[in-house]
Amino acid sequence: MSFFVYIIRCADGSYYTGHTDDLEARIAAHHEGAIPGYTRSRRPVAFQFSQEFAAREEALARESQIKRWTRRKKEALIRGDWEGLQAFSPVRGSTSSPRTGG
């Protein structure tokens, strides 16, 4: 069985990240407003990205990781912009501010 992490874009421009073992059914449920919570009042939604995993724990860990990301980093992931993903990631051990460079 496969598990997926996915990103959808809501009508208000926000992104929602989730995980599932049935990607098509979950996206359809978001479209229909069948899932209570964040996306129900922000329809219509548009599928943006998915990544497949062998274990639910892996998909859940990736979902948690992506949810902590900035909007720009999520958009780089959606575009498949690997250089942008790295550019929007903090350098480990760095004491400089990403906004000021100092």
Side-chain angles (χ1 to χ4, degrees), residues 70 72 96-102:
T70 64
R72 287 177 30 173
S96 66
S97 168
R99 293 191 182 144
T100 62

Side-chain angles (χ1 to χ4, degrees), residues 7-69:
I7 300 173
I8 54 178
R9 184 179 175 132
C10 300
D12 65 0
S14 64
Y15 291 108
Y16 176 83
T17 304
H19 79 281
T20 185
D21 60 3
D22 189 340
L23 186 59
E24 287 184 32
R26 181 61 58 92
I27 299 302
H30 280 294
H31 280 292
E32 295 163 7
I35 300 174
Y38 190 82
T39 60
R40 182 180 276 175
S41 63
R42 291 172 172 84
R43 294 180 301 132
V45 298
F47 173 80
Q48 300 291 297
F49 170 84
S50 70
Q51 186 176 2
E52 187 173 0
F53 296 90
R56 183 177 303 275
E57 294 78 16
E58 293 172 312
L60 183 58
R62 183 68 160 164
E63 175 189 359
S64 295
Q65 179 187 46
I66 291 171
K67 283 183 172 183
R68 291 188 305 270
W69 288 0

